[in-house]
Amino acid sequence: MSNRSPSNTQDTHTHMSPTWILAIDFGTSNSAAAHSGATSGSIETLSLSHTSNLMPSSVYVASPERISVGEPARNLAQQNPVGFVASPKRLITGAPTTVIAGYTMPSALPVAAVMSAISSVASASVSRDAVPFPTAINSTPWRATSAASVALA
């Protein structure tokens, strides 16, 4: 007889469609991603643009609510460079807030915009029968503080 008490929690993912894992390599200049196949479980690189598995990690901040990522960010920077951040990864090893285009915001916000863009591409690319990814793995700078790592979680 077991001494363990019955659990009232249930792993909902085991009773739903296949789950998958998203891995993001958030680079200083470019980002890449791979995921486990929702049905096969094999590792597959993720196409982040029409021509490449990479996308620029850069962001353009029009406001804290309007952050463009990748090539669109680079294009907007040509018109007005004030809101352009070529390497948002560098922000997460510094102060908890930053000022971009006159807006004070959490330093993790531009990084979160890149992660969100990648996760949106990933979600659109997997089987419609798959549940949203329950696990995301992100590479972070070795100097990243625990506070910065938590902000990205």
Side-chain angles (χ1 to χ4, degrees):
M1 183 168 210
S2 171
N3 290 334
R4 298 170 66 191
S5 61
S7 174
N8 291 334
T9 62
Q10 180 176 344
D11 181 3
T12 57
H13 295 297
T14 60
H15 302 288
M16 298 178 74
S17 301
T19 59
W20 54 287
I21 297 171
L22 173 64
I24 300 172
D25 179 6
F26 180 55
T28 303
S29 300
N30 293 294
S31 291
H35 63 89
S36 59
T39 55
S40 69
S42 64
I43 304 302
E44 303 169 7
T45 58
L46 185 63
S47 180
L48 295 176
S49 74
H50 297 295
T51 59
S52 177
N53 291 338
L54 298 175
M55 71 173 241
S57 297
S58 55
V59 298
Y60 183 87
V61 178
S63 73
E65 296 81 26
R66 290 183 38 220
I67 301 176
S68 299
V69 175
E71 285 301 330
R74 287 184 175 178
N75 294 338
L76 288 167
Q78 292 176 359
Q79 298 169 4
N80 181 7
V82 173
F84 185 67
V85 180
S87 302
K89 181 176 180 175
R90 297 180 193 276
L91 298 175
I92 60 175
T93 60
T97 60
T98 190
V99 177
I100 303 171
Y103 296 100
T104 301
M105 64 188 72
S107 296
L109 189 59
V111 174
V114 175
M115 300 297 169
S116 178
I118 293 171
S119 67
S120 292
V121 170
S123 293
S125 74
V126 298
S127 167
R128 292 185 187 268
D129 294 333
V131 296
F133 62 90
T135 305
I137 300 168
N138 179 49
S139 63
T140 57
W142 65 271
R143 291 180 302 225
T145 64
S146 59
S149 296
V150 168
L152 295 175

